Amino acid sequence: MASIVRPTLLRQSCLKVATKKAFSTKPSPTFPAINKPLSSVVSKDAVRSRFMKEAVPSSMRVAAFHATGRRPILPPLPQSVNGTANEPAPVPDPSPTHGSYHWTFERLVSAGLVPLTIAPFAAGSLNPMTDAVLCGAILIHSHIGFEAVLIDYIPDKRLPKTRKAFMWALKLATVVVGVGLYEFETNDVGLTEAIKRVWKA
Amino acid sequence: MLAQRVAQQSLRRLAATPSRNAALLKFSLTPTAILTSPQFRQVATQKMTPTDSYQILVEQRKKRPTSPHLTIYEPQIPWILSALNRITGSVLSGAFYIFGSAYLVAPLLGWNLSSVSMAAAFGSWPVIAKVATKLLLAFPFTFHSFNGLRHLAWDMGKAFKNQTVIKSGWAVVGLSTVSALALALFV
């Protein structure tokens, strides 16, 4: 008999406590109903005294649920939802040019830079052709690196125009630097030799 | 079994608060309602337009936790060196880009950036300034080079164990510091 009564009574006491407000879908001024701690719904008088609950501000009650302190870098911007609340995140078109080929190309350039970096130290200097190859490889490597920095720190979703402007500025800068290096390589002693001379000056 | 159910239902009726809802009380006392046993949930629902519910969603999203700052993380060699890799790479590439573009516009602005004049200018600096400048360039160079080897190893799927990553990280710190000092002081 007791086993029958117990869940029933529990259910009844739950119903008794569940006020209209607790199940309301409207956000309360302090915090939305969805994030209300369970204690305010179920054990109003059983677990904590009324005084305790009112004394602790709601922000602290919420903070207790997080393992770490809230230290936002910037307050969140006005949020928006595209489509419905349960729309899946869009999956970009799989393209090897933007994916694996790009990745492999990056690694090939990086790996190629290893012998090109060791060579001037081993040989004392580089011949003009190898020096030009080194400059080109560094230029590509730098361009890819700067691109990654822009992609990471200028979110396309939030600042699409800024991202585009910076990407074009980077492309322009890479071309300018490429032409400048061509001038330097053809009119001067070459990058490695120039660094060597300045370093030993 | 049926008897047990009936007992359960009537117990529920008895335990229900009669003062809460007069209509509910009336309904629950009607004999026909005992066996059909409707379940009552006292949930308040509201009629709401899609824009209203959207507004609620927006309000809730504003209260989501935002990303905490880097300072909450314990300083550990893997992520610090990863950040340093980007910083040193940017320093080197930045210097490279500045020099390349400056060399192109030098004739227009009347600068002389030939290797001879640069070497002469640098040679005239005091020793401390020379060593400091060399260190400022040599450390990013050595660090990014050695750490780059580490990254290439990872890209091949090697040396991925946590202890290996920590050990190789400290090895890179030691190697790059020593070689940068050697380049700045003895070369």
Side-chain angles (χ1 to χ4, degrees):
Chain A
M1 189 65 202
S3 65
I4 303 170
V5 174
R6 219 178 293 126
T8 332
L9 285 182
L10 181 67
R11 186 167 166 274
Q12 291 301 338
S13 59
C14 280
L15 273 179
K16 211 181 202 171
V17 164
T19 58
K20 257 187 175 180
K21 205 176 157 227
F23 281 118
S24 165
T25 45
K26 250 199 183 136
S28 71
T30 46
F31 212 76
I34 196 169
N35 282 346
K36 253 197 177 120
L38 198 66
S39 61
S40 75
V41 179
V42 181
S43 54
K44 206 167 201 169
D45 14 351
V47 179
R48 272 187 218 168
S49 76
R50 177 113 195 124
F51 170 75
M52 272 282 287
K53 259 175 61 58
E54 293 306 314
V56 181
S58 68
S59 58
M60 276 178 73
R61 268 184 280 144
V62 173
F65 277 85
H66 296 274
T68 54
R70 248 177 105 122
R71 273 195 241 167
I73 301 173
L74 293 169
L77 293 177
Q79 304 273 303
S80 64
V81 185
N82 297 326
T84 62
N86 290 324
E87 212 112 314
V91 178
D93 281 338
S95 157
T97 318
H98 294 130
S100 64
Y101 293 171
H102 186 254
W103 192 87
T104 312
F105 176 68
E106 279 176 7
R107 309 305 124 165
L108 284 177
V109 172
S110 309
L113 274 170
V114 175
L116 283 171
T117 310
I118 296 170
F121 288 102
S125 188
L126 282 183
N127 67 42
M129 203 54 225
T130 326
D131 197 79
V133 171
L134 173 65
C135 279
I138 292 176
L139 189 67
I140 295 167
H141 190 73
S142 304
H143 181 85
I144 292 170
F146 281 137
E147 224 170 38
V149 169
L150 293 184
I151 289 169
D152 282 357
Y153 302 137
I154 307 179
D156 200 21
K157 207 174 170 186
R158 201 200 277 185
L159 304 163
K161 284 175 193 164
T162 315
R163 163 76 82 83
K164 211 166 234 179
F166 270 84
M167 279 300 203
W168 279 108
L170 173 63
K171 281 174 187 139
L172 181 72
T174 304
V175 171
V176 167
V177 172
V179 176
L181 283 170
Y182 175 79
E183 292 290 321
F184 186 74
E185 291 288 295
T186 46
N187 295 327
D188 216 306
V189 289
L191 190 73
T192 45
E193 184 61 30
I195 290 175
K196 189 180 163 191
R197 286 185 190 180
V198 172
W199 205 266
K200 296 200 166 178
Chain B
M1 196 63 204
L2 185 68
Q4 196 184 10
R5 271 189 75 99
V6 169
Q8 194 178 2
Q9 293 302 335
S10 49
L11 264 170
R12 279 188 192 166
R13 297 282 173 281
L14 281 174
T17 47
S19 63
R20 183 166 293 278
N21 196 327
L24 174 72
L25 179 71
K26 209 175 160 191
F27 189 46
S28 64
L29 286 179
T30 331
T32 50
I34 290 175
L35 283 177
T36 50
S37 72
Q39 299 244 329
F40 289 104
R41 285 166 199 265
Q42 297 188 330
V43 176
T45 54
Q46 294 158 330
K47 269 235 154 103
M48 193 169 278
T49 60
T51 41
D52 275 351
S53 60
Y54 174 81
Q55 226 28 63
I56 290 171
L57 194 62
V58 169
E59 287 301 314
Q60 287 178 344
R61 289 199 171 195
K62 270 186 200 164
K63 281 159 184 152
R64 289 189 303 184
T66 44
S67 301
H69 210 289
L70 284 178
T71 46
I72 72 152
Y73 297 108
E74 185 192 341
Q76 282 174 321
I77 207 74
W79 72 261
I80 288 179
L81 292 196
S82 173
L84 210 54
N85 195 56
R86 173 162 279 184
I87 292 166
T88 52
S90 299
V91 166
L92 291 170
S93 290
F96 187 72
Y97 268 50
I98 287 169
F99 172 72
S101 45
Y103 191 81
L104 190 65
V105 297
L108 301 172
L109 300 172
W111 298 341
N112 188 1
L113 286 180
S114 70
S115 60
V116 178
S117 67
M118 280 195 299
F122 189 70
S124 67
W125 287 12
V127 179
I128 293 178
K130 275 204 254 188
V131 169
T133 313
K134 282 180 182 180
L135 260 182
L136 232 59
L137 284 173
F139 181 74
F141 170 71
T142 53
F143 179 84
H144 198 82
S145 303
F146 287 123
N147 207 43
L149 295 176
R150 204 160 148 251
H151 272 275
L152 283 173
W154 292 335
D155 291 339
M156 289 189 292
K158 286 170 187 165
F160 254 132
K161 273 174 87 179
N162 200 15
Q163 284 308 309
T164 322
V165 169
I166 292 169
K167 271 180 202 155
S168 63
W170 282 112
V172 162
V173 170
L175 269 175
S176 51
T177 309
V178 168
S179 53
L181 282 172
L183 279 177
L185 295 173
F186 303 116
V187 176

